[in-house]
Amino acid sequence: MAIAWIAGAVVTWNAVFDAHIVAGARGYVDGQQMFIDGRGPHVDIEQAMDSAKASGLCAAWRWTAVELAPGVALAAVWRWRQSRRRRHS
């Protein structure tokens, strides 16, 4: 059961981080197209992707914590109940 929870957390982290990177890349491409069309300022790819990476890291860790919290709580309750059973046996 713990392996499934950890695998779910890994999938969650990757999906959230990837979504932010994709959104950053799309934002960069859209900004560049606007610049080429003369409708916006020049967009720096490093700045756009650094921003996407920073927000992606924060969001990915936040959602991973949300995914792992119930599993960690259940594991703690399970261990506590197991230790109580051993003491009373």
Side-chain angles (χ1 to χ4, degrees):
M1 184 161 118
I3 291 174
W5 231 292
I6 291 169
V10 169
V11 169
T12 298
W13 193 97
N14 283 304
V16 171
F17 184 74
D18 187 58
H20 278 77
I21 295 299
V22 168
R26 284 188 181 140
Y28 168 74
V29 170
D30 291 346
Q32 270 304 97
Q33 188 61 53
M34 288 179 72
F35 174 71
I36 291 168
D37 294 343
R39 297 183 295 137
H42 174 65
V43 181
D44 180 47
I45 191 164
E46 281 188 52
Q47 186 179 16
M49 296 313 294
D50 285 348
S51 175
K53 185 168 77 170
S55 67
L57 285 169
C58 288
W61 284 116
R62 222 175 300 124
W63 280 106
T64 300
V66 168
E67 168 76 20
L68 283 177
V72 170
L74 284 173
V77 168
W78 182 76
R79 287 186 98 182
W80 177 73
R81 292 181 84 188
Q82 292 297 323
S83 68
R84 281 188 65 203
R85 284 185 186 149
R86 281 187 218 125
R87 277 189 244 145
H88 294 299
S89 297

